[in-house]
Amino acid sequence: MAFWLGFEMRVALRFLREGRMQSVLIIGGVAAGVAVIAYISALISGLQANTLAKTLGAQAHVTLRAPEDLVVPAAVPTPGAAVLTEAQPRAQRLRAVVNWQALVPVLEALPEVAGVSPMVSGSGLALRGEAAQSIALMGVELDRYDRMVGLRSKVVSGTARLGPGEAIVGQELARDLGVRVGDRFTVQTGSVSDAVRVTALVDLGVKDLNRRTVIVPLRAAQNLLALPGGATHLDLTLRDVWTAQALAQALQQRFAYKVESWQETNAQLVSALNAQSISTTIIRGVVLAVVVLGIASVLVVSVVQKRREIGILRAMGATRGQVLRVFLVQGAVVGALGSVLGVLLAVGLIAAFTHFVRGSDGLPLFSIALPPRLALQVALVATVCGVLAAVAPARRAAALDPAQAIRL
């Protein structure tokens, strides 16, 4: 076994050295193809991860709410009777999730769930002097909410703390109201108002959220929104964000609540991510096809150029199988060398992207890296494609008649 492997390898390398220019060009082509595949894959993965992190950084993966108020018919229609009626939708009001305190440990026990955070949310006004801003008021238990969205990591000023009479606000809202950490302003909801002191300013990653978010203790929000002891919804964070839709459907069937996954809330984003993934797959396929055709064309030319040498090898006792394997080894060598160079080129492209492409704050636009597993997969696929591309030329070389090949 080692003997014929050594024979095929020596002959294959000699053929590649004799056609040095052809070999360099095709190895360079394979390297370019592998670099494009690896770079595009890493770029799209980094972009999608960054998009998901920003989108899900301030929202739950699954949200469980009380069902909406519906209009109940005044009477059950009689079968066959004509009924003239006009029903107007009911105005929706804040409603608490029934028995939410007992539901929290049930949800936390689910294997997919990493954390549960009860919340009371509603609208209101933030008042300070002559300034008045519309706000989204959120009442939370800080430790639970922080485990869900990493609120403390988003603090840009002050210390995240939610004691009685304290609040955390978005940095844009603080600028509009003219408040800093330690200042007070008034939160008003309907006929109820309360003065709160700012303990921290946060950057939630979305300017609109920063302009209207006020976070207060859960009990304070219950009082302000006239929902004593209630929670308008339960936010769930999952270990795997892509299981959200399946879990939401299962919870919807199990409980009489309105359950929404982040995929339903961000349907357009999910469609965009799917379109990106499909586009990346198409690009990979096209580039691999170009690589295969390039290797095959060079090896076909090599068979034509090496007809006499192939005839001599056959006349000296080389079998058809050995000739076949010579060209398969050539394809593997070209694919392997091109893969190694391509991965190194991709690493260089990623480094250049990280260094030169930066956001308005001077930091890298988003994190991008080439995982070793992805690099290995791309290299293996390119090497296999090199072998597959050599099949047709190898079979043609093995089928040559020694006598006719030597005479040509």
Side-chain angles (χ1 to χ4, degrees), residues 263-312:
Q263 288 103 322
E264 294 175 285
T265 308
N266 304 277
Q268 291 184 340
L269 172 63
V270 175
S271 298
L273 294 177
N274 290 335
Q276 284 183 343
S277 299
I278 293 172
S279 300
T280 304
T281 302
I282 293 174
I283 292 173
R284 289 176 181 172
V286 171
V287 173
L288 282 176
V290 172
V291 169
V292 168
L293 291 176
I295 295 175
S297 61
V298 168
L299 292 181
V300 166
V301 172
S302 178
V303 171
V304 174
Q305 293 175 337
K306 299 292 189 297
R307 288 173 68 95
R308 186 179 296 276
E309 288 86 344
I310 294 170
I312 293 173

Side-chain angles (χ1 to χ4, degrees), residues 216-242:
V216 298
L218 184 66
R219 188 177 297 276
Q222 291 170 342
N223 296 332
L224 284 167
L225 296 171
L227 207 67
T232 56
H233 54 277
L234 301 179
D235 289 341
L236 280 65
T237 180
L238 308 182
R239 304 184 194 282
D240 181 1
V241 297
W242 295 106

Side-chain angles (χ1 to χ4, degrees), residues 67-384:
E68 295 182 352
D69 288 337
L70 300 176
V71 176
V72 179
V76 178
T78 303
V83 178
L84 298 178
T85 181
E86 181 180 353
Q88 189 173 12
R90 295 187 60 177
Q92 298 299 311
R93 56 189 172 84
L94 285 179
R95 298 181 62 191
V97 176
V98 178
N99 204 22
W100 68 268
Q101 294 95 335
L103 187 59
V104 168
V106 174
L107 296 174
E108 288 179 328
L110 296 175
E112 304 93 337
V113 177
V116 180
S117 175
M119 179 184 292
V120 177
S121 66
S123 59
L125 289 175
L127 308 173
R128 187 171 189 264
E130 297 181 355
Q133 295 291 328
S134 176
I135 61 170
L137 181 68
M138 297 190 299
V140 301
E141 295 177 1
L142 183 58
D143 289 337
R144 286 181 177 272
Y145 189 66
D146 179 60
R147 285 196 297 269
M148 187 182 73
V149 302
L151 185 66
R152 288 187 172 93
S153 66
K154 305 178 191 297
V155 172
V156 295
S157 179
T159 302
R161 186 177 62 253
L162 284 180
E166 295 179 333
I168 299 171
V169 303
Q171 60 179 357
E172 298 292 337
L173 176 61
R175 187 178 297 113
D176 293 341
L177 293 175
V179 298
R180 294 175 295 182
V181 173
D183 293 343
R184 291 184 175 273
F185 68 94
T186 301
V187 175
Q188 180 178 331
T189 58
S191 59
V192 182
S193 62
D194 190 16
V196 295
R197 185 171 63 86
V198 179
T199 62
L201 307 182
V202 292
D203 180 7
L204 299 175
V206 180
K207 199 168 186 177
D208 184 55
L209 290 178
N210 290 334
R211 178 158 279 126
R212 57 190 177 88
T213 298
V214 175
I215 303 173
V216 298
L218 184 66
R219 188 177 297 276
Q222 291 170 342
N223 296 332
L224 284 167
L225 296 171
L227 207 67
T232 56
H233 54 277
L234 301 179
D235 289 341
L236 280 65
T237 180
L238 308 182
R239 304 184 194 282
D240 181 1
V241 297
W242 295 106
T243 63
Q245 185 62 37
L247 179 62
Q249 293 174 352
L251 292 176
Q252 186 72 68
Q253 295 175 356
R254 182 177 176 183
F255 302 108
Y257 301 114
K258 182 179 179 181
V259 185
E260 285 184 331
S261 66
W262 71 268
Q263 288 103 322
E264 294 175 285
T265 308
N266 304 277
Q268 291 184 340
L269 172 63
V270 175
S271 298
L273 294 177
N274 290 335
Q276 284 183 343
S277 299
I278 293 172
S279 300
T280 304
T281 302
I282 293 174
I283 292 173
R284 289 176 181 172
V286 171
V287 173
L288 282 176
V290 172
V291 169
V292 168
L293 291 176
I295 295 175
S297 61
V298 168
L299 292 181
V300 166
V301 172
S302 178
V303 171
V304 174
Q305 293 175 337
K306 299 292 189 297
R307 288 173 68 95
R308 186 179 296 276
E309 288 86 344
I310 294 170
I312 293 173
L313 287 174
R314 289 295 312 281
M316 294 175 63
T319 64
R320 290 180 183 272
Q322 287 178 316
V323 174
L324 179 75
R325 289 191 291 269
V326 165
F327 285 89
L328 292 179
V329 169
Q330 283 191 73
V333 170
V334 168
L337 291 177
S339 298
V340 173
L341 294 176
V343 168
L344 294 176
L345 181 58
V347 171
L349 291 173
I350 291 172
F353 178 90
T354 304
H355 180 74
F356 292 108
V357 181
R358 296 182 176 271
S360 57
D361 55 1
L363 298 175
L365 199 58
F366 56 87
S367 176
I368 175 175
L370 182 61
R373 182 177 180 180
L374 175 60
L376 183 59
Q377 288 177 344
V378 173
L380 287 176
V381 169
T383 303
V384 171

